[in-house]
């Protein structure tokens, strides 16, 4: 009988088998996926240039199951990647070969709609659009509207602090959630916020929103719902240059007007969009603004007049105001299909997501065209102009040797420029694996270490979604141990009045 230590591969295999057995003690058999063909469906998110088969996929249906899986992962020292609908554009839900992919898709119920408190309690796998569908019969809606809203989940929206066309006026996900239920790494279940407007102590909900699955697993979200504005009308404004369009954005906001939405497209994007989904865009314009003005009828009429005047002053060549609800929706149908439309004109595209001060739009967009020439790749722009949130779509061909590297280098140059002009690396898509190595462009070593101390407070062994967001991982012990006081701390005297 040999007493030799098992080979590492045998050990890994034995651990995997044991892990799957223990997952099957927690979940029904069908909710544990371990064969390669079925795992393939989970190998990437919407950042498809990165792919990795997960060790195993677990699909819990209840909060106690999530809690047990988290405790199991801690017990067996296994990593966990939470996943909603897998539409992340930054690789946030990219699986790990040595980790459980925790799919939250079965948490798909709207638990409660509470009109008097203007909120809804939903499970994290509910799609963004399904929330609006659940409340629209009473004239309400959920405001943040990512273009992926038909597919992406509210849990993923919280994970990435997702935005959308209407976030300029109504705020991002962080401004539209009231409460969260979260399962921590050891299996503990915590509740933050509720149906009320504000919470005491630290803003942990703010911390969780945009935490990219690094701090805990969200199992319930209480969202704020808003009453639909009485009227909304769309305006298409075409310009002879990108600079004139950018100038109009700054002038409208500078005049004190906050449109319901203000999106911009350059000529490459708008023509591709109009080909893909005919929507009446002015095809000869070098840049196009799709503006929505909402409110009462008289307010909207007044705002349309003011925006039109400002647009003419900066040289608009076409101004088209929607004459019916169908036409307004047609204007937006184009914008919402812009990504697939650009996808149709090139084999592949890489979608970037930097945010800059609005006043820098013209400079950055012009510089980007020059960069495109240097890198030998085309770039189409379609983005949340009012927020200064850029989405350059870099066209490349994954089958052409060297093209992926060129696209990544071009994307990195764009994001470095965003930071150089006073902006940030991401507006709404998150850091994930995509922008991880660019973090030092924006944060000092001390900044990054302080952020990792927050991670350490929730997940000291880096089991939750490691490899995302932080370019280097420090052992939590290296970042300075917290002084643990056992027993009661001396209680300071409180002065009496
Ligand atoms: C065509 C297209 C258009 C898009 N348009 C927009 C847009 O306009 N605005 C925008 O903001 N984004 C947009 N996105 C990006 C994407 O849809 C969003 O980032 C969305 O919020 C991701 O949701 P998801 O359910 O797919 O999450 P996933 O991709 O599954 O996960 C995203 C992140 O959240 C974490 N996560 C997911 N669920 C949980 C949970 N229950 N608990 C803890 N962490 C969790 C994951 O670990 C990961 O880090 C677009 C994507 C595509 C493909």
């Amino acid at each position: 009988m040999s007493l030799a230590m098992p080979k590492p591969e045998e050990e890994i295999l034995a651990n995997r088998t044991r892990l799957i057995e223990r997952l099957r003690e927690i979940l029904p058999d069908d909710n544990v996926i371990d064969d390669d063909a079925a795992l393939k469906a989970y190998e990437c998110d919407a950042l498809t240039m990165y792919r990795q088969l997960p060790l195993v996929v677990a699909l819990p249906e209840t909060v106690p199951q999530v809690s047990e899986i988290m405790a199991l992962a801690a017990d067996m020292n296994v990593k966990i990647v939470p996943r909603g609908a897998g539409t992340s554009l930054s690789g946030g839900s990219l699986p790990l070969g040595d980790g459980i992919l925790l799919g939250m898709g079965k948490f798909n119920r709207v638990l409660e709609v509470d009109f008097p408190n203007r909120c809804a309690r939903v499970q994290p796998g509910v799609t963004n659009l399904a929330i609006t569908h659940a409340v629209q019969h009473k004239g309400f809606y959920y405001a943040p509207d990512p273009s992926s809203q038909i597919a992406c989940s509210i849990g993923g929206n919280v994970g990435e602090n997702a935005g959308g066309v209407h976030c300029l006026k109504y705020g991002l996900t962080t401004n539209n959630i009231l409460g969260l239920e979260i399962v921590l790494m050891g299996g503990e279940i915590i509740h933050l916020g509720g149906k009320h407007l504000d919470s005491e102590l630290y803003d942990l909900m703010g911390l969780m929103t945009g935490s990219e699955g690094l701090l805990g697993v969200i199992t319930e979200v209480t969202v704020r719902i808003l009453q639909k504005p009485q009227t909304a009308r769309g305006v298409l404004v075409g310009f002879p240059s990108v600079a004139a369009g950018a100038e109009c954005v700054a002038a409208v906001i500078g005049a004190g007007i906050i449109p319901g939405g203000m999106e911009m497209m350059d000529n490459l994007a708008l023509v591709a969009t109009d080909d893909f989904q005919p929507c009446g865009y002015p095809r000869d314009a070098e840049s196009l603004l799709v503006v929505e003005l909402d409110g009462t009828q008289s307010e909207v009429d007044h705002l349309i007049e003011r925006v039109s005047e400002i647009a003419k002053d900066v040289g608009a060549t076409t101004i088209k105001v929607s004459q019916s609800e169908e036409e307004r929706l047609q204007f937006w149908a184009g914008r919402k299909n812009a990504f697939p439309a650009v996808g149709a004109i090139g084999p592949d595209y890489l979608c970037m997501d930097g945010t800059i001060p609005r006043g820098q739009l013209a400079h950055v967009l012009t510089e980007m065209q020059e960069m495109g020439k240097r890198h030998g790749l085309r770039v189409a722009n379609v983005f949340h102009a009012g927020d200064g949130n850029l989405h350059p779509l870099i066209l490349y061909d994954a089958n052409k040797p060297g093209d992926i590297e060129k696209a990544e280098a071009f994307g990195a140059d764009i994001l470095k420029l965003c930071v150089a002009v006073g902006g940030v690396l991401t507006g709404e898509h998150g850091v994930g694996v995509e922008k991880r190595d660019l973090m030092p462009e924006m944060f000092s070593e001390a900044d990054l270490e302080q952020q990792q101390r927050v991670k350490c407070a929730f997940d000291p062994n880096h089991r939750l979604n490691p490899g995302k967001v932080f370019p280097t991982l420090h052992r939590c012990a290296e970042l300075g141990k917290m002084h643990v006081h056992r027993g009661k701390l001396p209680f300071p005297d409180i002065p009496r009045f």
Side-chain angles (χ1 to χ4, degrees):
M1 187 178 145
S2 161
L3 289 176
M5 294 288 285
K7 287 193 189 127
E9 303 92 81
E10 286 168 6
E11 199 177 300
I12 291 167
L13 206 63
N15 282 344
R16 180 174 189 255
T17 308
R18 180 79 193 112
L19 174 69
I20 290 166
E21 276 168 15
R22 289 191 61 185
L23 282 170
R24 291 213 161 106
E25 286 163 16
I26 299 170
L27 300 174
D29 273 8
D30 286 352
N31 296 21
V32 181
I33 298 172
D34 62 341
D35 74 279
D36 280 4
L39 289 177
K40 194 111 181 91
Y42 295 89
E43 72 176 350
C44 66
D45 55 20
L47 184 68
T48 51
M49 57 168 60
Y50 294 90
R51 286 165 196 264
Q52 168 66 58
L53 280 192
L55 183 67
V56 55
V57 173
L59 302 172
E61 294 178 44
T62 67
V63 180
Q65 286 173 351
V66 175
S67 170
E68 281 186 64
I69 293 170
M70 297 288 269
L72 170 65
D75 183 39
M76 291 189 70
N77 194 18
V78 181
K79 295 163 192 160
I80 291 210
V81 177
R83 177 175 168 119
T87 66
S88 169
L89 286 165
S90 59
S93 48
L94 179 74
L96 294 169
D98 58 352
I100 301 170
L101 189 73
L102 192 73
M104 298 299 285
K106 290 189 183 286
F107 279 78
N108 57 6
R109 284 185 305 126
V110 173
L111 300 169
E112 182 192 2
V113 174
D114 182 346
F115 289 109
N117 284 308
R118 288 181 172 234
C119 66
R121 278 196 311 117
V122 300
Q123 291 189 315
V126 169
T127 63
N128 172 293
L129 193 58
I131 302 177
T132 292
H133 286 163
V135 298
Q136 64 188 7
H137 60 286
K138 288 228 179 167
F140 283 79
Y141 74 116
Y142 175 63
D145 53 346
S147 304
S148 52
Q149 67 184 148
I150 194 168
C152 66
S153 73
I154 187 69
N157 289 179
V158 176
E160 302 286 15
N161 189 18
V165 163
H166 289 98
C167 293
L168 170 63
K169 185 165 181 180
Y170 298 102
L172 295 153
T173 304
T174 191
N175 308 108
N176 287 277
I177 59 169
L178 295 168
L180 290 175
E181 180 184 75
I182 295 157
V183 180
L184 300 177
M185 198 56 231
E188 306 95 322
I189 300 162
I190 62 164
H191 293 92
L192 302 174
K195 290 184 176 180
H196 43 86
L197 276 185
D198 205 359
S199 301
E200 64 292 333
L201 280 171
Y202 299 120
D203 180 12
L204 292 182
M205 243 186 347
L207 190 65
M208 281 292 163
T209 313
S211 62
E212 305 195 23
L214 264 71
L215 302 182
V217 175
I218 299 155
T219 46
E220 189 181 306
V221 188
T222 304
V223 298
R224 188 196 296 261
I225 51 172
L226 301 180
Q227 205 157 19
K228 271 193 166 166
Q230 198 185 80
T231 318
R233 287 176 81 183
V235 190
L236 297 181
V237 195
F239 296 92
S241 67
V242 166
E247 202 185 327
C248 186
V249 173
V252 168
I253 304 277
I257 301 167
I258 306 288
M262 184 151 56
E263 302 285 299
M264 190 163 164
M265 294 189 200
D266 63 14
N267 182 267
L268 184 57
L270 78 90
V271 171
T273 302
D274 204 51
D275 283 342
F276 187 82
Q277 165 89 42
C279 41
Y281 288 175
R283 300 171 64 98
D284 55 347
E286 281 305 312
S287 69
L288 168 74
L289 285 183
V290 186
V291 186
E292 181 163 293
L293 298 154
D294 61 6
T296 59
Q297 187 68 57
S298 56
E299 189 186 356
V300 171
D301 290 346
H302 171 69
L303 289 175
I304 287 177
E305 226 169 85
R306 287 194 63 200
V307 168
S308 303
E309 276 165 21
I310 294 170
K312 278 184 208 147
D313 284 350
V314 297
T317 41
T318 50
I319 299 180
K320 187 171 170 187
V321 180
S322 66
Q323 299 303 319
S324 63
E325 182 59 5
E326 288 70 39
E327 199 175 12
R328 181 185 76 85
L329 293 175
Q330 189 192 14
F331 290 177
W332 284 120
R335 168 59 185 91
K336 298 246 172 197
N337 281 297
F339 284 15
V342 172
I345 60 168
D348 301 285
Y349 70 77
L350 178 62
C351 173
M352 306 309 293
D353 165 49
T355 300
I356 55 171
R358 271 183 293 266
Q360 295 286 344
L361 278 173
H363 166 63
V364 171
L365 292 171
T366 312
E367 184 56 28
M368 214 186 282
Q369 294 306 327
E370 291 306 312
M371 284 179 186
K373 287 181 200 154
R374 283 203 296 278
H375 286 280
L377 294 175
R378 289 189 299 167
V379 59
N381 275 290
V382 41
F383 61 99
H384 309 310
D387 299 303
N389 181 199
L390 302 172
H391 288 325
L393 303 170
I394 299 170
L395 295 156
Y396 71 100
D397 182 350
N399 289 320
K400 215 164 142 189
D403 244 28
I404 291 184
E405 292 74 15
K406 268 205 266 181
E408 284 190 315
F410 186 4
D413 281 352
I414 293 173
L415 293 179
K416 285 178 193 169
L417 177 63
C418 290
V419 175
V421 300
V424 292
L425 290 174
T426 172
E428 54 184 22
H429 295 171
V431 176
V433 288
E434 184 207 16
K435 306 177 193 94
R436 186 189 65 185
D437 296 336
L438 290 171
M439 289 287 269
E441 292 289 326
M442 197 169 145
F443 296 107
S444 69
E445 189 56 32
D447 292 338
L448 287 171
E449 282 183 11
Q450 197 59 19
Q451 299 229 12
Q452 276 201 43
R453 288 190 180 97
V454 175
K455 163 80 170 158
C456 290
F458 284 85
D459 177 24
N461 295 302
H462 291 299
R463 288 197 192 99
L464 260 177
N465 218 359
K468 317 287 169 71
V469 180
F470 293 111
T472 44
L473 277 186
H474 293 282
R475 283 179 185 283
C476 290
E478 281 170 26
L479 292 172
K481 286 173 212 130
M482 279 185 288
H483 297 285
V484 181
H485 294 267
R486 307 223 175 266
K488 268 191 174 177
L489 281 173
F491 199 68
D493 282 334
I494 300 172
R496 277 178 184 276
F497 292 103

